[in-house]
Amino acid sequence: MNYTLKEFLRLLKNKEPICFINNKKIIKFSKTSVYNGVKELHYIPNTGGTKDEDITQFNAYFIDLDCGRDKDDNYFDLDVVSHYKAQKLKELRRFQPSPSAILQTRNGLQAYWFIKDAPTPSQWRRIENYLVEKFDADVNVKNPARQLRLHCTV
């Protein structure tokens, strides 16, 4: 699934997400191109605010599948990461419902299930926790206002 950033955000139903530079400074989405390649760019997939209690619309369930780091806290070689990604892609493709989008990152994958019928916050959390556990995903990436790396940025 190769999406441009605009296509991805349209499908996510979040055309103007809250964006961050280096996980801290909030910037307008329209300014992200200025910082791409210079600073780390992140965004919140769900809509409403920067805190979990501020989220007013759940746009997606998401998981971060990260290959991790070695004992010296360095990223694994790309061949190790590639093997990890291939294994996780097989798992994701066998799962129903299929993810709406699977995005590649340097060290793994992000998988998204776009939401059509709005869940309650407790329903969202229950399904999100299930997906994180099912795929052995990053346990820190499961809250409604989670920042994720902005697709198509480095």
Side-chain angles (χ1 to χ4, degrees), residues 5-6 9 14-22 24-36 39-44 50 150 153:
L5 178 55
K6 285 188 179 187
L9 293 175
N14 194 354
K15 294 179 184 176
E16 289 291 326
I18 297 172
C19 296
F20 300 84
I21 299 173
N22 296 337
K24 296 177 184 157
K25 182 181 176 185
I26 297 175
I27 62 169
K28 290 184 177 196
F29 173 71
S30 60
K31 300 288 184 192
T32 56
S33 62
V34 173
Y35 297 100
N36 189 14
K39 304 281 185 181
E40 286 192 21
L41 296 172
H42 294 81
Y43 79 112
I44 299 175
T50 59
L150 189 60
T153 65

Side-chain angles (χ1 to χ4, degrees), residues 132-151:
V132 167
E133 186 176 318
K134 170 79 177 158
F135 292 101
D136 193 24
D138 187 336
V139 297
N140 295 311
V141 181
K142 63 178 185 177
N143 60 301
R146 171 56 49 190
Q147 293 180 34
L148 295 170
R149 183 171 306 279
L150 189 60
H151 178 53

Side-chain angles (χ1 to χ4, degrees), residues 31-88:
K31 300 288 184 192
T32 56
S33 62
V34 173
Y35 297 100
N36 189 14
V38 180
K39 304 281 185 181
E40 286 192 21
L41 296 172
H42 294 81
Y43 79 112
I44 299 175
N46 293 318
T47 305
T50 59
K51 296 181 180 148
D52 291 343
E53 59 271 13
D54 296 338
I55 297 301
T56 56
Q57 180 178 326
F58 294 100
N59 302 316
Y61 304 104
F62 44 80
I63 56 173
D64 185 36
L65 299 165
D66 193 10
C67 188
R69 295 176 185 242
D70 67 18
K71 63 183 176 16
D72 296 320
D73 202 33
N74 297 312
Y75 285 120
F76 287 110
D77 290 333
L78 290 177
D79 59 330
V80 173
V81 175
S82 184
H83 180 336
Y84 173 82
K85 287 180 182 182
Q87 179 183 351
K88 289 300 181 179

Side-chain angles (χ1 to χ4, degrees), residues 87-139:
Q87 179 183 351
K88 289 300 181 179
L89 275 171
K90 284 181 190 174
E91 291 176 33
L92 288 165
R93 289 184 176 134
R94 284 192 301 253
F95 184 76
Q96 291 298 315
S98 299
S100 307
I102 300 170
L103 308 178
Q104 298 228 18
T105 63
R106 187 263 178 229
N107 213 39
L109 304 167
Q110 291 176 350
Y112 292 81
W113 288 262
F114 300 145
I115 296 174
K116 292 181 179 128
D117 299 319
T120 65
S122 63
Q123 289 170 327
W124 187 90
R125 285 182 187 277
R126 188 176 71 248
I127 293 170
E128 182 71 16
N129 286 327
Y130 170 78
L131 291 169
V132 167
E133 186 176 318
K134 170 79 177 158
F135 292 101
D136 193 24
D138 187 336
V139 297

